[in-house]
Amino acid sequence: MQRTPIIQAQNLYYEIANHDHYIRILQGLNLTISAGEQVAIIGSSGSGKSTLLSLLAGLDVPTSGQVLVEMKSFSSLDEDGRALVRARNMSFVFQSFQLLPALTALENVMLPLQLTQHIDARELSLQALDAVGLSQRVQHYPKQLSGGEQQRVAIARAFATKPRILFADEPTGNLDNATGEIIIDLLFKMNSDANTTLILVTHDMQLANRCQRRLQLDNGVLTDLV
Amino acid sequence: MNAIFKLAYLQTCSLWRAGALRVLVFALVLAVAAITAVSFFTQRIDTALNQQGSLLLGADLVLSANHVLADNFEQRATKLGLASVRSYEFPSMVMFGNSSQLVEIKAVGQGFPLRGDLTIGATTNEVGQVVKTAPKLGQVWVEPRLAHLLNLQVGSVVEVGERKFSVSAILLHEPSRGGDMFGFAPRLMMNAADLASTKLLQYGSRAKFQLLLAASPEKVNQYFKLTQPELTHGEKIQDLRNARPEIKLALEKAQQFLGLSAMVSVILAMVAMLLSSMPYIKQSLDSFALMRCFGASQNKVMQFLAIQTLLIAFFSALIGITLGFIAQLGLAQLAASLFVEALPPASLMPMLVGMIASLAMMFAVVLPHAWQMQHISTMNILRRETLMQPLSVQLKFLPAALTMSAMLFWQAQDFKIALATIGVILLLCLLVIVCAYGFVSLTARLLTLSPQNHTLNAVKLGVLGLKRRFVISTIQMIGFSMGLMVLILLALIRGDLINNWQASLPVDAPNRFVINIQPSQIDGIHQFFAHQHIKNAAVFPMVKARFISKNGMRVKPEDFNDERARHLAEREFNLSWAMKMQSDNQLQSGHWWNASDEGKPYISLEQDLAKTLGIKLGDQLEFEIAGSPITLTVTSLRKVEWDSMRVNFFAVTPPGVLEHFNANYISSFHLPFQVDGPLNLLLRQYPNLTIIDVAALMQQIRGIMQKMSSTVQYVFAFSLIAGSAVLYAALVATHEERILDATLLRVFGASRRQVAIAYVAEFSCIGLVAALVAVIAANLLAYYMSAHIFNIPFTFNFSLALLALLISAAIIPFAAWLGLRRFLNIPPRQLLNSI
C-alpha cells in the first residue's frame, strides 16, 4: 500500500561560504518520507546530517531546491510560515537536550503547548512526564537531573504536542550506552504509540537498524541502505 | 497577545527564581533610585520656589534698592489700590550684657508680611502662633539661633544701635528668609518706626530698602508695567516669576551638580547591567531559538522579548522609585534647609523620570541582542554558532553608550559640562587601564623572580588569572574606583581644604572687620587700636560709585557674556584713595603715583577685575558718585593677595580726588581668640559699627560646606554601591569560568588553601589598583582645585589615602572569597558535571 508522502526534499543543495569560496554540504539531494515511517539518516561526523535535518525541519533554508510538507512547498515559505507549519506538525529531540535551565521539568515540557495556547498545557505535560517515568521530578530544574533524565524530559516535551513528525538529532550522543538504550527504547515506544513519523539522525549503526529505513549521507549525497 | 504576555510573565518569574536576573535588576533598581532621589529632592525645592513664590517674597511684588526708595513708588501703589509696606534689611550688631553678635536686622512696617505669615513663640522649641504683624514699638523678635548664641529669652533687653529693645518673642518661622545659604547672620526683626532712633543707617551703610506690594494679579501687573521702565541703577523689581533669583540660581547649580553625581551611579549601574545581562541574554537566546523550533513566529518572539524587557524595567522602576523616594527624605533632612525653610510634598514627575530611565536603560542593554536574534538562524543559535559570529564589542555596547551619553546631556543641561563629565570619566578609565597594566606586569615579573614556594606560586596563579581576565578585571577596577574617588575627594574638600587655608594664614592675620565707620569716629577708632596695642591696623575710606562708561562708551551689563563681568558692571564700586600701595599688592603694569600726582584723576585697578571688564592701561573710566560724574584714567594694574585678610580695594585713586565726596570707613585687625571685651566697649561707644568676626563666619561657612558635601557624599554613596554592583556583576559573569579554573587546579593537585590564596591574590590586586587610582585621582583633583580655583596650599593626606587602600584591599577580596568558599568543599567531579 502506498503511503502518503509527508515530507519531501527535491534537488536540495546547501552551501556555506568560507572566505573566498563555497563549501557544498548537500548536493542535489532527493528524499521522500511517508507518514508513519521511521527513517534513520546515518553519516560520519561532519557529513551534513544535522544540516539536512535542519532543512527538513525548516530551521534553515536551502541554497537551492525545495522541501515539501504534505505535498506543499515548505522551504519557500518565509520564516513565520515555516514556524506555523512546525507548530502544527513537528517536534524535536536534540543531542544536547536543549532544556531551558531556568525552567523546571514541567515548565520545559509545557513550553511548546503554551506557545500554541493549548488550554490543557499543564495536564498534558504532566501526562507526558508520567509516560517517561518522571512524575516525581516535575518541579526539578535541569541541573538537578541526570543526563538520561534530562533527555526523558526532552522526549516528554517532544511528544506532549502530539506531533506528526518527530526530528531527533543524535538523541543519545551525550549519553552513556546503558542510558542511551533506555532512551531509545522510550523514544521508539512513544513514537509507535503516537504513530508519529520519526526522522532520526545518528552515526550509530545499531540505533539506525532499529528504524524501518536507513539512509546514508556521504559527500552530500543520500543513498538508501537496504 | 494575552497568551504571549502570560508566557512572558511566567518565564520572567522563572528566570528570577533561577537567579538569572538578580544582579541585572539590582543594578537597574540602584540607577533608578539614584536618579529619582535627586529628582524628588530638587523638584520639591523647585516647587517651593514656584508655588511659594509669594511667601518667599512676603508679597506679590517687591521693589528693592540699595538706597532709600523715592516716595512716588509708594504713592503710585496707593493710587492703584495696592497694599504696601516698607522694609529694611542690613547687617549690624546687637549687644546683650557683655556679648555682641552680628545679626541681619529686618525692620518692617505694620502690615508685614503682605503674603504668608510669621510664627512666633515664647520659647525656641514650641509650635508657636501664627501672626501677620510687625513687632510692637520698642520690641524685637529674635530667631532661635540668635537666642542660643546670646542666651536670650523673652523679656531680655538687647542693645541695637543707640536704643534698647525688649525681646518680646522668638521668631520661629519667617518664610521670606530662605535657607541657611542666604542668611549667614541670625535674624532680628523690629518695627520700621524704631529704625531712625537706633541711628544705625548712616551714609554708606549697606542696606536693602524694599517696598512690598500685594493686590490682585491685574493690579500687580499694571504696577509692574508702569514701574519697570522707570527703575534706575541699584533698583530692581521682583515678582512671583523671578522671586529670590539667588535661591533659584543656587538650586539650578545644585540640580546640575547632584544630577551629574547621580549620573555616575547610572553609568556604573549600566556597566553592571551589561555585565550581568550576559547570562540572561544567553538563556533568552536559547529560549527564543527553542520557541522558533516549536513554531513561534519571529513577530511573536520579538513581542515576547519586548514584554519581558518591559516587565523587568517596570518592576525594577517601581522598586527603584520607592527607594529613591525614601532616599530623598534623607537628602531633604541633610540639605533642604540650605535653600528654603520648608519643603512641599513631592510630586509625581520624578516617578515618570525614573520609569523612563529604567525603560531606556533596559532597552539599551537588550537591543543589540534583539538585532542579533533577527539576523541569525535558529539552528545557529542552537548549535552555539553565535559564539563564532558574535556581535562586535562596539556594536554590543553602542546603544548603552549612547543612552548613557544622552542621559548625561539631559541631566547637565549644558553641553560643555556634559562633555567635561564624559571627559573626566574617560580619563579615569584610561588611568585605571594604565595603572592596572603596569601593576599586573610588574607584579607578575617580580613573582617570576621570587623563590619558589607554594604560597608565592599560588599568588602568581592569582595574578596570572587577573592578566587572563584583564578586560573584565579592569571594568571591575573602574567601577569601584569611580565611587571611591569621589568620596575621597569630598572628604578632602570638606575638611582639608578649609583647614589648609586657615593654617596658611599668618598667626596674626586680621580676624575682625569693622565696617560703617563714620568720619567723626576715625580718631576714636585709632585710639582704640592704640589702647589695645593693635598694630598694623589702618582705617580706609570707601566711596560708593557707579561705573558709567569706558572711553566715552556707556557700560551696560547686558553687553557682557561673562556672568561675573555682568555682575561687576551692575554693582556699585567701592572706591578708595591712598598715597602708598598696600604691602600685599604687586604692581603688574603701569606706574604708581607719587606726591606730585595728588589730586590727579588717576585710578589703579585690580588686574583680574580689569581683565574681566576688558579695561586696559590708559582707558578713561567714568563713574557717578552721589549724582556727580568723575572721569579717571587707568594708570596701573595690581595683583592683590586677597587672602591676606587685610582690607583691599579693586579701585584706588591718589589722595585729593575723592575726599570731597561723602565716605565711610573700614578697617581690619587681629584680636586674640575669644577676646571680645574690647570690641564690646567699642560697640558701646559707636553702636552703628558692624564688626564681622571672620573666625565665626568661617565656622558658619564650614557648617554650610559640610552640609553641602554631606549631601553630595550621600548621592555618591549610590555610586559606591553601584561600583560594588559592577564588581559583583563581573564575578557573576565569570563565575563558571572561575569555578572551572579552581576545579581544574584542584584536579591537577592544588590544595584548597592554594586555590583560595590564588583567588584572594587576584582580588586583592583589583582592590589595590582601584584604591590606588581613586587616591591618585582624588588628590590630583583636590590639588587642581586648591591651586587653580581656591588658591590655597594643598597638603597630601597620607592617613586618608592609607585608609582607603587598606579598606579596598580588604573588602574586595573578602567579598570574592565569600563567593568561592562553598565551592571549595564540593568534590571536583561534581563541579565539573554541573558546569
Side-chain angles (χ1 to χ4, degrees):
Chain A
M1 185 176 81
Q2 203 163 9
R3 287 179 177 176
T4 324
I6 192 162
I7 196 162
Q8 294 163 282
Q10 291 175 352
N11 206 26
L12 217 55
Y13 283 86
Y14 189 81
E15 292 170 351
I16 53 170
N18 184 24
H19 297 299
D20 56 351
H21 63 279
Y22 287 91
I23 299 172
R24 189 168 277 178
I25 308 292
L26 301 175
Q27 306 202 60
L29 193 145
N30 290 288
L31 169 66
T32 301
I33 297 173
S34 305
E37 266 198 294
Q38 293 168 346
V39 178
I41 300 172
I42 313 150
S44 54
S45 187
S47 58
K49 308 185 293 297
S50 297
T51 304
L52 175 59
L53 188 136
S54 66
L55 292 175
L56 293 176
L59 297 175
D60 210 342
V61 286
T63 311
S64 64
Q66 62 171 343
V67 174
L68 303 153
V69 171
E70 290 189 314
M71 315 277 280
K72 291 179 212 156
S73 181
F74 178 48
S75 54
S76 62
L77 294 175
D78 62 12
E79 175 65 38
D80 286 350
R82 296 198 304 275
L84 194 58
V85 172
R86 281 200 300 274
R88 287 174 180 164
N89 300 288
M90 300 175 183
S91 199
F92 300 85
V93 175
F94 297 97
Q95 177 178 355
S96 54
F97 323 138
Q98 295 292 0
L99 297 182
L100 297 180
L103 304 184
T104 61
L106 178 61
E107 286 165 346
N108 267 289
V109 174
M110 281 172 67
L111 180 62
L113 290 166
Q114 286 171 323
L115 277 173
T116 50
Q117 299 169 45
H118 219 285
I119 306 165
D120 300 318
R122 189 183 164 82
E123 197 47 52
L124 288 169
S125 303
L126 285 167
Q127 285 172 13
L129 282 165
D130 187 50
V132 300
L134 287 176
S135 42
Q136 302 301 312
R137 311 293 296 275
V138 298
Q139 291 304 331
H140 288 197
Y141 289 93
K143 68 179 178 191
Q144 295 171 298
L145 304 171
S146 69
E149 287 166 341
Q150 289 185 55
Q151 195 62 299
R152 281 198 268 165
V153 172
I155 290 171
R157 180 178 63 187
F159 282 103
T161 55
K162 299 190 184 351
R164 299 185 64 207
I165 309 171
L166 174 66
F167 292 96
D169 187 358
E170 305 270 17
T172 56
N174 281 6
L175 302 170
D176 60 270
N177 285 345
T179 311
E181 286 279 336
I182 296 168
I183 291 301
I184 286 302
D185 286 344
L186 185 59
L187 184 66
F188 275 88
K189 179 184 179 305
M190 290 184 76
N191 181 61
S192 173
D193 291 345
N195 200 28
T196 310
T197 307
L198 173 64
I199 302 172
L200 175 73
V201 161
T202 184
H203 63 271
D204 182 348
M205 258 332 278
Q206 209 172 351
L207 173 56
N209 285 336
R210 289 183 68 157
C211 295
Q212 295 156 345
R213 192 174 157 201
R214 293 160 295 285
L215 303 166
Q216 173 94 30
L217 185 60
D218 202 8
N219 289 326
V221 176
L222 203 61
T223 324
D224 248 292
L225 292 179
V226 176
Chain B
M1 187 63 178
N2 267 342
I4 287 288
F5 184 89
K6 196 174 161 187
L7 187 59
Y9 174 75
L10 288 170
Q11 285 232 7
T12 309
C13 292
S14 299
L15 282 168
W16 173 260
R17 279 196 310 269
L21 291 176
R22 291 199 190 155
V23 182
L24 179 75
V25 166
F26 176 74
L28 188 53
V29 163
L30 195 65
V32 171
I35 294 172
T36 49
V38 169
S39 200
F40 272 124
F41 173 64
T42 52
Q43 184 266 326
R44 284 178 79 184
I45 296 183
D46 211 15
T47 306
L49 295 177
N50 290 327
Q51 286 179 359
Q52 300 173 7
S54 59
L55 298 183
L56 284 169
L57 287 177
D60 295 330
L61 202 65
V62 172
L63 199 50
S64 292
N66 55 10
H67 50 261
V68 176
L69 285 163
D71 289 336
N72 62 297
F73 292 117
E74 198 168 3
Q75 286 161 3
R76 176 181 290 146
T78 310
K79 201 169 153 188
L80 291 176
L82 283 83
S84 67
V85 68
R86 287 196 186 244
S87 79
Y88 309 82
E89 273 185 57
F90 54 94
S92 191
M93 303 299 289
V94 67
M95 292 199 67
F96 178 60
N98 290 327
S99 305
S100 61
Q101 174 64 42
L102 176 69
V103 297
E104 185 81 10
I105 292 184
K106 185 158 185 153
V108 295
Q110 283 300 339
F112 179 87
L114 294 176
R115 292 285 183 239
D117 35 52
L118 306 169
T119 308
I120 59 174
T123 58
T124 56
N125 45 7
E126 61 175 71
V127 172
Q129 55 164 330
V130 167
V131 297
K132 225 177 160 62
T133 178
K136 290 186 180 145
L137 292 173
Q139 293 178 4
V140 294
W141 296 340
V142 299
E143 183 184 295
R145 189 165 38 132
L146 180 57
H148 286 133
L149 282 166
L150 288 178
N151 211 18
L152 296 172
Q153 295 163 30
V154 167
S156 300
V157 176
V158 295
E159 294 169 57
V160 183
E162 295 197 7
R163 283 276 312 272
K164 289 189 179 168
F165 293 88
S166 169
V167 175
S168 58
I170 308 294
L171 182 58
L172 296 168
H173 181 57
E174 183 198 343
S176 55
R177 183 88 163 103
D180 297 346
M181 277 205 294
F182 309 98
F184 279 116
R187 170 74 87 214
L188 181 140
M189 190 174 280
M190 61 189 290
N191 195 303
D194 277 330
L195 192 53
S197 57
T198 64
K199 297 194 180 150
L200 284 173
L201 285 184
Q202 309 235 2
Y203 177 79
S205 297
R206 286 204 168 272
K208 200 190 307 180
F209 300 83
Q210 293 187 318
L211 180 65
L212 284 68
L213 303 154
S216 64
E218 297 77 30
K219 287 184 182 172
V220 165
N221 216 25
Q222 190 185 8
Y223 187 94
F224 184 93
K225 281 184 182 154
L226 286 169
T227 309
Q228 170 86 23
E230 293 174 4
L231 298 177
T232 58
H233 188 81
E235 294 171 352
K236 61 182 178 189
I237 193 165
Q238 285 181 36
D239 61 6
L240 303 182
R241 289 164 300 181
N242 62 0
R244 305 301 295 271
E246 71 279 14
I247 302 180
K248 282 194 171 152
L249 184 65
L251 175 65
E252 263 170 45
K253 297 287 178 204
Q255 262 173 330
Q256 202 173 49
F257 189 71
L258 288 176
L260 285 173
S261 312
M263 279 300 121
V264 174
S265 308
V266 168
I267 289 166
L268 290 172
M270 282 208 79
V271 171
M273 281 172 72
L274 285 165
L275 286 172
S276 59
S277 68
M278 290 187 218
Y280 160 63
I281 297 295
K282 180 178 165 299
Q283 288 194 35
S284 296
L285 281 175
D286 285 348
S287 179
F288 301 141
L290 260 180
M291 284 166 65
R292 278 168 64 178
C293 278
F294 288 121
S297 65
Q298 187 77 306
N299 200 28
K300 240 185 212 175
V301 169
M302 284 294 138
Q303 279 178 22
F304 188 97
L305 178 63
I307 292 169
Q308 201 167 63
T309 306
L310 278 169
L311 283 170
I312 295 170
F314 180 73
F315 284 108
S316 302
L318 278 184
I319 301 169
I321 287 166
T322 308
L323 290 174
F325 180 80
I326 295 168
Q328 67 83 27
L329 294 173
L331 271 177
Q333 190 71 19
L334 273 171
S337 62
L338 286 173
F339 299 93
V340 291
E341 279 204 11
L343 284 182
S347 79
L348 297 176
M349 182 55 88
M351 290 173 64
L352 187 63
V353 167
M355 192 60 72
I356 293 172
S358 181
L359 287 166
M361 285 188 279
M362 196 58 205
F363 274 102
V365 165
V366 164
L367 207 61
H369 304 287
W371 184 91
Q372 190 175 17
M373 264 168 47
Q374 290 206 301
H375 292 87
I376 296 175
S377 75
T378 308
M379 208 58 193
N380 283 346
I381 296 172
L382 291 171
R383 282 183 181 165
R384 300 286 190 270
E385 275 172 23
T386 47
L387 297 172
M388 289 155 60
Q389 306 165 28
L391 275 178
S392 67
V393 167
Q394 294 90 334
L395 271 177
K396 211 182 284 188
F397 292 127
L398 186 61
L402 287 173
T403 305
M404 281 190 256
S405 303
M407 287 169 81
L408 258 170
F409 278 98
W410 164 75
Q411 189 63 62
Q413 299 281 325
D414 184 304
F415 184 78
K416 275 188 194 162
I417 289 177
L419 217 55
T421 309
I422 293 173
V424 165
I425 291 169
L426 288 174
L427 267 171
L428 181 76
C429 294
L430 192 64
L431 191 61
V432 168
I433 291 167
V434 166
C435 285
Y437 187 78
F439 184 90
V440 167
S441 303
L442 186 66
T443 313
R445 183 70 60 87
L446 283 172
L447 285 168
T448 314
L449 299 170
S450 61
Q452 294 283 323
N453 75 44
H454 278 157
T455 305
L456 284 177
N457 282 349
V459 169
K460 191 173 158 188
L461 280 171
V463 174
L464 287 175
L466 183 63
K467 210 172 172 182
R468 213 166 49 243
R469 286 178 282 269
F470 189 73
V471 171
I472 225 161
S473 300
T474 313
I475 294 173
Q476 288 174 287
M477 290 177 206
I478 290 171
F480 206 72
S481 70
M482 216 182 266
L484 196 59
M485 179 199 78
V486 178
L487 287 171
I488 295 173
L489 178 66
L490 286 168
L492 287 173
I493 292 172
R494 194 169 148 155
D496 286 11
L497 284 184
I498 294 183
N499 293 340
N500 290 347
W501 173 71
Q502 278 202 301
S504 73
L505 295 174
V507 170
D508 59 349
N511 57 7
R512 300 285 196 280
F513 277 76
V514 183
I515 62 176
N516 282 343
I517 302 171
Q518 299 304 305
S520 59
Q521 298 167 338
I522 294 173
D523 287 341
I525 299 288
H526 279 304
Q527 280 171 21
F528 167 80
F529 290 152
H531 201 252
Q532 298 301 323
H533 308 292
I534 294 170
K535 294 186 176 57
N536 303 320
V539 178
F540 297 90
M542 241 171 32
V543 172
K544 280 205 251 182
R546 201 160 61 86
F547 184 26
I548 302 293
S549 70
K550 181 181 84 170
N551 298 327
M553 297 278 286
R554 200 148 187 94
V555 166
K556 285 177 276 182
E558 50 271 23
D559 291 339
F560 297 95
N561 289 328
D562 184 56
E563 202 179 305
R564 185 172 176 245
R566 274 202 300 274
H567 180 65
L568 285 169
E570 66 188 3
R571 61 169 271 186
E572 275 189 329
F573 277 67
N574 288 318
L575 302 184
S576 186
W577 64 83
M579 180 49 71
K580 276 191 194 162
M581 191 169 61
Q582 294 230 62
S583 57
D584 53 1
N585 285 201
Q586 266 180 12
L587 196 68
Q588 298 297 297
S589 58
H591 64 91
W592 191 254
W593 38 79
N594 52 42
S596 62
D597 292 322
E598 191 168 322
K600 288 191 181 162
Y602 295 158
I603 189 166
S604 171
L605 292 181
E606 192 268 341
Q607 65 171 0
D608 285 339
L609 173 94
K611 191 175 167 192
T612 306
L613 290 173
I615 298 172
K616 297 185 295 296
L617 279 180
D619 280 349
Q620 304 263 310
L621 307 182
E622 186 188 351
F623 291 90
E624 185 189 280
I625 304 173
S628 304
I630 180 169
T631 302
L632 304 165
T633 306
V634 179
T635 56
S636 63
L637 299 177
R638 296 165 285 125
K639 182 172 179 241
V640 175
E641 290 296 331
W642 293 105
D643 51 1
S644 66
M645 299 306 287
R646 290 210 280 276
V647 174
N648 265 297
F649 292 91
F650 284 116
V652 181
T653 72
V657 177
L658 299 175
E659 278 88 329
H660 57 284
F661 293 109
N662 282 329
N664 69 11
Y665 292 76
I666 179 173
S667 179
S668 70
F669 55 91
H670 177 86
L671 266 187
F673 183 59
Q674 285 186 335
V675 172
D676 290 326
L679 284 176
N680 293 336
L681 288 173
L682 187 65
L683 275 173
R684 287 208 191 286
Q685 194 179 355
Y686 303 118
N688 63 292
L689 296 181
T690 301
I691 300 176
I692 299 168
D693 182 340
V694 172
L697 202 63
M698 287 313 301
Q699 194 61 25
Q700 273 182 282
I701 292 172
R702 191 183 279 106
I704 289 173
M705 282 191 71
Q706 270 178 340
K707 261 194 191 173
M708 285 167 69
S709 66
S710 292
T711 308
V712 178
Q713 274 181 320
Y714 189 90
V715 175
F716 272 106
F718 283 102
S719 308
L720 200 59
I721 301 172
S724 308
V726 168
L727 194 73
Y728 187 67
L731 278 174
V732 165
T734 56
H735 182 72
E736 277 193 11
E737 187 189 331
R738 290 178 191 282
I739 298 302
L740 185 64
D741 279 1
T743 308
L744 284 173
L745 283 174
R746 286 171 60 201
V747 163
F748 289 117
S751 68
R752 284 178 295 174
R753 182 176 165 273
Q754 282 178 300
V755 170
I757 289 173
Y759 216 62
V760 167
E762 183 180 344
F763 281 92
S764 296
C765 291
I766 291 174
L768 266 171
V769 174
L772 202 64
V773 170
V775 164
I776 293 172
N779 277 278
L780 279 174
L781 274 172
Y783 169 75
Y784 177 81
M785 287 165 80
S786 304
H788 297 283
I789 298 175
F790 300 117
N791 288 317
I792 55 181
F794 169 78
T795 311
F796 176 67
N797 190 328
F798 179 76
S799 48
L800 184 64
L802 191 62
L803 188 67
L805 277 166
L806 288 174
I807 289 175
S808 303
I811 286 183
I812 294 175
F814 180 68
W817 157 247
L818 286 177
L820 170 73
R821 199 167 47 115
R822 62 193 176 96
F823 292 102
L824 290 180
N825 292 322
I826 298 174
R829 181 176 146 67
Q830 283 185 29
L831 284 169
L832 287 172
N833 283 348
S834 70
I835 292 167

